[in-house]
Amino acid sequence: QASQEELKAAYRRLCMLYHPDKHRDPELKSQAERLFNLVHQAYEVLSDPQTRAIYDIYGRRGLEMEGWEVVERKRTAAEIREEFERLQREREERRLQQRTNPKGTISVGIDATDLFDRYDEEYEDVPGSSFPQIEINKMHISQSIEAPLTSTDTAILSGNLSTQNGNGGGSINLALRRVTSAKGWGELEFGAGDLHGPLFGLKIFRNLTPRCFITTNCALQFSSRGVRPGLTTVLARNLDKNTMGYLQWRWGIQSAMNTSIVRDTKSSHLTLAMQLGIPHSFMMVSYQHKFQDEDQTRVKGSLKVGFFGTIVEYGAERKISRHSVLGATVSVGVPQGVSLKIKLNRASQTYFFPVHLTDQLLPSAVFYATVGPLVIYFAMHRLVIKPYLRAQKERELEKQRESTASDILQKKQEAEAAVRLMQESVRRIIEAEEARMGLIVVNAWYGKFVNDNSRKNEKVKVIDVTVPLQCLVTDSKLILTEASKAGLPGFYDPCVGEEKSLKVLYQFRGVLHQVMSADNEALRIPKQ
């Protein structure tokens, strides 16, 4: 957003600094010529509104293309930006055609009741009875993909397979969704399976007001017993910025009326629900606390009371890598018993492992279901996950360093040459600032600082930028904008891909001050 006046002022200052005629030493003169030409090229690009717009959008590639293949030269800056936005929309449409948005779930049910519900007298004459029998008693696999047909039409193909105690089945569904307007969409669904006959469904979504919407789902399930119709309607309304209210009516095989209130904020998630229906009626309250840490830790608990009994659940989930979230929940209920549910979300795939521990309320089962996953998680996190993530980060940094090594070396040489050329100007600036008791940069460092004890083994990577910063002082002021400081004259990136800061020790009105600034943070010295 620099104005033409600001560009001219910066250009004049750098020309005075790097002008070859100001340096008699042959080596300094050669370095000055190279930097002077770079400054002149930059000003030529940025002083012309057309080339500046092309550079802002396309970078050097746009400037270097012969014959102006990117855009016509005669276009204005506004037209160039409009053309770029049009090309971006076309690219987005092409990406939309290629996107399938796959989603999948794999669930493996484990029966581990033999660990806690053994009856020794039943196993006295059975070989190998000293070992508890743990077996997989059910599995479920589902997968879906989306195929955009046009900008408003999408085809969704999904399927699932289930098995329990040796019996199983599956189904396949095809849905066609059309966005009819900004306020709604409709969806037709066709399905078939080996346990049930053909399925025909219609789903409609509509925004009634900016704060209220309705969803209706009608279905016809054909089977050997005849046709089973079903209807589900959900009415939802924003009660406030963070709270939604839902009313649901379901008619068919399992008729029910349900009302719920969901409040979701940055730090918590609360759900209150009540259902009256056949065969299940219940009341439920669920609360989740979100910790504001980099691992996105969440602790949750819920209570559900109904005709089927009472269930208490508590658990936690945590991000273990960039795309993976691991969670564990303990379920204690009457008459359900005690279960441990482990869930891993990896991008759009979900892996779910419910482990049934006992049919009774045994304190030992509750204890091991709670403590066991915590011990295993912290051991795995310390011995496996943390070293793996650290090694992965190092590999990525090393790859980034290798790809930018030649460019960084060139930038380093340019920065060192610029510092040598600044010496005379800096001496005059310091003399002028000392005379008026103004701003003098005593020391300045740029790069990676290690202040945290937990990172004491990491290496400090900084460069001395005292001279370049003093050279930027004008009228006892130093002003840096919100941009990476690696691009300033006399600076370069000493630690590619790592977090950087600028530390300045300066003297103003004869008093020493110190300031620390993040890489992309604006800085104004002296502080007001």
Side-chain angles (χ1 to χ4, degrees):
Q1 283 80 35
S3 65
Q4 286 298 322
E5 289 71 25
E6 289 173 317
L7 283 171
K8 285 178 184 176
Y11 176 60
R12 284 196 296 268
R13 181 172 54 80
L14 290 172
C15 282
M16 289 175 63
L17 189 64
Y18 296 143
H19 203 287
D21 294 345
K22 295 185 67 178
H23 305 279
R24 296 178 181 177
D25 184 276
E27 187 181 349
L28 286 178
K29 195 178 185 72
S30 172
Q31 292 170 347
E33 283 178 357
R34 187 158 53 88
L35 290 172
F36 183 80
N37 288 334
L38 283 173
V39 169
H40 184 65
Q41 289 170 17
Y43 182 68
E44 277 190 331
V45 170
L46 298 176
S47 59
D48 182 344
Q50 289 181 332
T51 55
R52 179 175 177 176
I54 291 170
Y55 179 75
D56 284 347
I57 296 167
Y58 299 100
R60 288 183 182 236
R61 182 180 64 85
L63 301 171
E64 293 168 358
M65 293 192 76
E66 294 182 12
W68 294 90
E69 294 170 0
V70 179
V71 287
E72 296 177 25
R73 192 184 180 106
K74 62 185 179 182
R75 294 191 176 186
T76 64
E79 288 173 333
I80 290 169
R81 292 183 187 278
E82 193 176 309
E83 172 75 4
F84 174 68
E85 288 170 3
R86 185 186 66 78
L87 294 172
Q88 248 193 345
R89 284 196 299 271
E90 288 181 1
R91 279 199 299 271
E92 284 296 324
E93 286 179 8
R94 285 197 297 270
R95 281 165 57 188
L96 185 69
Q97 298 294 332
Q98 299 166 355
R99 191 185 67 198
T100 58
N101 192 24
K103 295 178 184 176
T105 301
I106 296 177
S107 177
V108 180
I110 301 171
D111 184 357
T113 54
D114 205 28
L115 288 171
F116 297 96
D117 294 345
R118 284 171 61 90
Y119 295 97
D120 293 337
E121 60 271 14
E122 294 182 9
Y123 295 89
E124 286 178 357
D125 301 323
V126 180
S129 61
S130 58
F131 297 100
Q133 300 294 313
I134 298 175
E135 57 185 29
I136 294 173
N137 60 357
K138 57 183 176 181
M139 290 185 69
H140 175 80
I141 299 173
S142 65
Q143 186 75 29
S144 71
I145 56 171
E146 295 181 5
L149 306 176
T150 66
S151 58
T152 58
D153 297 337
T154 304
I156 304 164
L157 182 65
S158 61
N160 67 78
L161 291 170
S162 300
T163 178
Q164 184 168 359
N165 296 325
N167 299 315
S171 66
I172 187 167
N173 291 65
L174 173 65
L176 299 173
R177 180 184 297 167
R178 166 165 284 188
V179 178
T180 54
S181 68
K183 290 186 175 182
W185 50 262
E187 184 177 291
L188 282 173
E189 183 179 7
F190 308 93
D194 58 351
L195 296 180
H196 303 286
L199 169 72
F200 296 96
L202 172 65
K203 192 173 184 179
I204 298 171
F205 170 88
R206 181 76 178 175
N207 278 312
L208 302 178
T209 69
R211 298 179 60 186
C212 182
F213 69 83
I214 187 170
T215 303
T216 300
N217 188 5
C218 310
L220 291 175
Q221 179 75 64
F222 294 86
S223 68
S224 57
R225 298 179 182 179
V227 180
R228 296 182 182 179
L231 175 66
T232 302
T233 300
V234 179
L235 178 66
R237 180 178 172 80
N238 276 95
L239 304 179
D240 63 32
K241 187 175 73 171
N242 299 310
T243 309
M244 288 288 295
Y246 298 90
L247 290 172
Q248 184 186 75
W249 177 63
R250 188 168 64 243
W251 172 78
I253 301 169
Q254 292 186 343
S255 298
M257 289 186 295
N258 183 298
T259 181
S260 58
I261 295 175
V262 179
R263 181 169 177 79
D264 192 12
T265 66
K266 190 178 179 181
S267 61
S268 66
H269 183 95
L270 174 67
T271 303
L272 301 171
M274 182 176 72
Q275 175 174 303
L276 298 174
I278 303 170
H280 294 307
S281 295
F282 64 84
M283 294 179 66
M284 186 195 75
V285 57
S286 171
Y287 179 78
Q288 184 180 87
H289 183 73
K290 306 172 188 176
F291 292 92
Q292 304 304 309
D293 57 354
E294 61 179 13
D295 293 325
Q296 299 177 10
T297 306
R298 300 184 177 192
V299 177
K300 54 189 175 181
S302 69
L303 172 65
K304 195 173 183 180
V305 180
F307 292 163
F308 52 81
T310 302
I311 298 176
V312 175
E313 291 190 342
Y314 58 91
E317 64 179 44
R318 197 175 198 186
K319 191 174 180 180
I320 57 174
S321 71
R322 187 182 301 173
H323 303 293
S324 301
V325 177
L326 180 65
T329 303
V330 178
S331 177
V332 182
V334 178
Q336 290 82 4
V338 182
S339 297
L340 171 64
K341 302 172 184 176
I342 298 170
K343 185 167 74 171
L344 173 66
N345 286 329
R346 172 73 180 171
S348 59
Q349 302 295 312
T350 301
Y351 304 90
F352 187 51
F353 302 92
V355 183
H356 189 46
L357 299 175
T358 174
D359 294 321
Q360 307 171 56
L361 287 182
L362 297 179
S364 57
V366 176
F367 174 79
Y368 285 113
T370 304
V371 176
L374 287 173
V375 172
I376 293 171
Y377 169 75
F378 283 113
M380 289 284 289
H381 189 264
R382 188 174 184 82
L383 301 175
V384 179
I385 297 172
K386 216 170 179 180
Y388 170 76
L389 293 177
R390 194 184 301 119
Q392 187 182 46
K393 187 178 179 182
E394 282 298 322
R395 283 196 299 271
E396 289 175 357
L397 284 174
E398 192 60 37
K399 191 176 178 181
Q400 196 174 357
R401 289 189 197 106
E402 288 175 3
S403 64
T404 58
S406 58
D407 187 44
I408 292 297
L409 181 61
Q410 183 184 346
K411 296 286 185 188
K412 181 181 178 182
Q413 291 170 349
E414 287 178 4
E416 290 171 347
V419 169
R420 286 194 289 272
L421 297 171
M422 289 175 183
Q423 297 291 345
E424 184 60 30
S425 296
V426 166
R427 185 183 62 77
R428 289 198 300 271
I429 291 171
I430 290 175
E431 286 176 358
E433 292 296 324
E434 282 178 340
R436 64 168 75 139
M437 292 282 286
L439 178 61
I440 298 171
V441 178
V442 180
N443 282 113
W445 302 271
Y446 173 68
K448 176 186 175 184
F449 295 86
V450 180
N451 301 320
D452 190 349
N453 287 333
S454 63
R455 298 165 57 199
K456 60 186 177 183
N457 295 327
E458 296 183 28
K459 188 179 178 183
V460 177
K461 301 171 187 175
V462 296
I463 56 172
D464 189 322
V465 290
T466 308
V467 171
L469 269 192
Q470 185 69 65
C471 195
L472 293 172
V473 173
T474 306
D475 297 329
S476 299
K477 292 175 187 172
L478 174 64
I479 301 172
L480 304 180
T481 57
E482 291 182 5
S484 175
K485 296 169 179 62
L488 294 172
F491 283 64
Y492 68 93
D493 192 341
C495 46
V496 177
E498 298 185 65
E499 193 176 323
K500 292 173 281 289
S501 301
L502 174 66
K503 187 176 183 179
V504 187
L505 181 67
Y506 66 95
Q507 184 175 304
F508 183 69
R509 302 284 187 254
V511 180
L512 276 174
H513 302 272
Q514 181 175 287
V515 67
M516 192 96 164
S517 171
D519 188 25
N520 289 292
E521 185 183 354
L523 177 65
R524 184 185 179 95
I525 295 177
K527 296 284 186 180
Q528 296 302 308

